[in-house]
Amino acid sequence: MRREDGSRDSPAMTDPEQHSYSRADLDRLGEKVAKGRTAAGLDPAPARTRADTAMGDGLRIAIEFVVSVLVGAGLGYFIGGLLGGAVIGLLIGLLFGFAAGLRGVYRGMMAGSAESAEEGTRDEPGV
Amino acid sequence: MNPAFDLTSWLFSLARGVAAGPMEQFEIVPIVPLSFGDGLDLSFTNASLWMLISLGTALLFFTWATRRSELVPGGAQGSAEVIYEFIAKMVRDTIGEDGRRFFPYIFTLFVFVFLANLLGLLPSTPGTPAALHTFTPTSHIIVTFTLAVLSVGIVVLYGLFKHGFAFLRLFVPSGVPVWLLPLITPIEIISFLSRPVSLSVRLFANMLAGHVVIKVFAGFVAVLIVSGGVLSAISILPLIGIVGVFILEFLVAFLQAFVFAILSCIYLQDALHPAH
């Protein structure tokens, strides 16, 4: 296969008569690539990703905030239970969870969205 | 027999079926029961079936697409290569060159979640038993949570293996005054522990909400059609809504798989470089 392609390519490069053939070949290849991209569902997505980034960001940060509070409260309740004061632990854990949630919101706002993280994370990891 | 009568009764039965409840589609139905009592139930369910279907689809597609590797790829090989390069670029951009070793995991994760999301959008055949209805495994939090715990587990194990106790510097951000550390460290630990939860909740909630919305709108259509008169005429509105939401669901299926994979990458980056 590969040898056949190679032998087809080399006259195209040396012989100017073959130029149009090679051009059509390239166009067909471009069409195939475009079709493949569409088939893989990769073409429309990146464009739309940026369009609904604000909504996605908001939801992501909201979920992280709520989860942080709940995990903090649960962890506090668990550790408090081990130490014999589940309610005190719950309250302290709730505060820490709230703080962790706020930190997550702050970090999320500073770092930009995870959805557009392809650009964002390159300068984000230090944050 | 009067065909109009048939149509009405058919619509009524359809309405009953559609209005049965938007949560019914998430019901776990055992296909091969295998219960050991005492809460240990290893039955092969519709969730297991659809996870196997996702896996089988991925295996078939990539085997078929790469059966004859050509220098100039055709349609199938081209799409497989696009997916490969897309994930490879994402891993390279988020974790860096030394993140290459995680590529097989991230690629598998993305393809599995994406196919589970996507195949869950296939229509069910009416009249078949519930065990054979289309099912979205990622609409169950236990599935997504297991995947998220796997990701975070790899982070912890690999981080400890590579850096030893220096990995725990992850919880001690640099540049923080010593007197603040008793406050900051628990906060960091809580945000680390909430990662698998928020990762799994995000995927599960998106899948669940999308499918519920489609089903609720479908209920509107069915009920409006059988109400007759003007109400039947405006049943087209929720139908248009279904089409819109359904298209959006394809985007969500891709986007959530992508977000799951990229957040796993960002967390794995911590395992490689714990000091921030």
Side-chain angles (χ1 to χ4, degrees):
Chain A
M1 266 311 169
R2 211 170 284 168
R3 194 176 297 158
E4 192 189 309
D5 276 352
S7 58
R8 209 194 281 157
D9 272 353
S10 45
M13 271 181 256
T14 48
D15 189 357
E17 292 292 313
Q18 293 281 338
H19 187 72
S20 61
Y21 168 76
S22 155
R23 179 82 200 178
D25 219 17
L26 266 182
D27 284 348
R28 220 175 312 136
L29 176 65
E31 268 173 34
K32 271 187 180 175
V33 169
K35 220 182 286 171
R37 285 186 65 88
T38 318
L42 295 174
D43 251 347
R48 292 289 294 272
T49 312
R50 255 155 238 137
D52 59 12
T53 283
M55 176 79 176
D57 267 6
L59 273 177
R60 185 174 60 85
I61 291 171
I63 289 174
E64 268 167 26
F65 180 73
V66 172
V67 164
S68 285
V69 173
L70 290 180
V71 167
L75 198 67
Y77 185 77
F78 176 69
I79 294 176
L82 289 183
L83 299 179
V87 177
I88 301 290
L90 175 77
L91 290 175
I92 295 174
L94 200 64
L95 285 179
F96 274 114
F98 188 73
L102 280 186
R103 193 176 152 81
V105 170
Y106 178 76
R107 218 181 245 171
M109 296 316 292
M110 299 313 279
S113 65
E115 279 92 328
S116 60
E118 267 186 300
E119 298 90 19
T121 42
R122 237 173 268 148
D123 35 37
E124 187 248 356
V127 179
Chain B
M1 191 179 273
N2 187 356
F5 171 77
D6 263 350
L7 182 69
T8 318
S9 67
W10 179 76
L11 282 176
F12 265 105
S13 70
L14 187 73
R16 256 200 311 280
V18 170
M23 301 308 279
E24 219 163 81
Q25 54 183 323
F26 304 113
E27 211 170 295
I28 300 274
V29 185
I31 296 174
V32 183
L34 187 67
S35 180
F36 294 99
D38 296 333
L40 182 64
D41 191 343
L42 299 179
S43 303
F44 185 83
T45 62
N46 51 350
S48 332
L49 176 69
W50 280 88
M51 282 190 254
L52 277 185
I53 289 176
S54 307
L55 201 66
T57 310
L59 280 177
L60 278 181
F61 173 71
F62 284 106
T63 312
W64 175 67
T66 55
R67 73 203 182 284
R68 276 188 296 116
S69 300
E70 292 183 35
L71 194 61
V72 178
Q77 194 194 338
S79 31
E81 283 182 7
V82 164
I83 300 174
Y84 175 93
E85 274 162 21
F86 175 68
I87 301 296
K89 181 177 183 298
M90 184 183 84
V91 171
R92 212 170 31 241
D93 286 350
T94 40
I95 317 184
E97 274 309 318
D98 47 354
R100 270 298 168 85
R101 69 194 67 198
F102 295 117
F103 172 78
Y105 171 67
I106 298 293
F107 186 76
T108 315
L109 190 70
F110 173 78
V111 169
F112 178 72
V113 172
F114 177 56
L115 282 178
N117 293 349
L118 196 68
L119 295 178
L121 289 171
L122 290 174
S124 302
T125 319
T128 51
L132 297 177
H133 283 182
T134 308
F135 185 83
T136 317
T138 42
S139 66
H140 277 260
I141 194 163
I142 187 62
V143 174
T144 58
F145 188 69
T146 308
L147 292 174
V149 165
L150 188 64
S151 281
V152 175
I154 290 176
V155 170
V156 172
L157 289 182
Y158 186 76
L160 284 177
F161 167 73
K162 181 129 190 268
H163 302 282
F165 281 104
F167 175 66
L168 297 179
R169 274 210 312 259
L170 186 65
F171 303 119
V172 186
S174 55
V176 173
V178 180
W179 60 270
L180 262 180
L181 282 182
L183 282 177
I184 293 291
T185 305
I187 288 176
E188 288 290 329
I189 291 174
I190 289 173
S191 30
F192 185 82
L193 288 178
S194 62
R195 278 172 179 185
V197 183
S198 63
L199 196 58
S200 52
V201 164
R202 188 179 307 111
L203 178 57
F204 133 85
N206 270 286
M207 287 299 118
L208 185 85
H211 283 77
V212 168
V213 165
I214 290 177
K215 193 72 190 250
V216 166
F217 274 41
F220 289 164
V221 175
V223 170
L224 283 174
I225 284 181
V226 296
S227 308
V230 188
L231 290 176
S232 293
I234 61 168
S235 69
I236 190 75
L237 295 178
L239 188 67
I240 294 170
I242 294 178
V243 174
V245 173
F246 196 70
I247 294 170
L248 190 69
E249 277 305 297
F250 278 96
L251 177 69
V252 170
F254 169 77
L255 202 61
Q256 289 306 316
F258 172 58
V259 167
F260 201 93
I262 203 168
L263 285 177
S264 295
C265 282
I266 292 175
Y267 298 159
L268 283 168
Q269 211 256 345
D270 279 347
L272 286 168
H273 313 285
H276 29 178

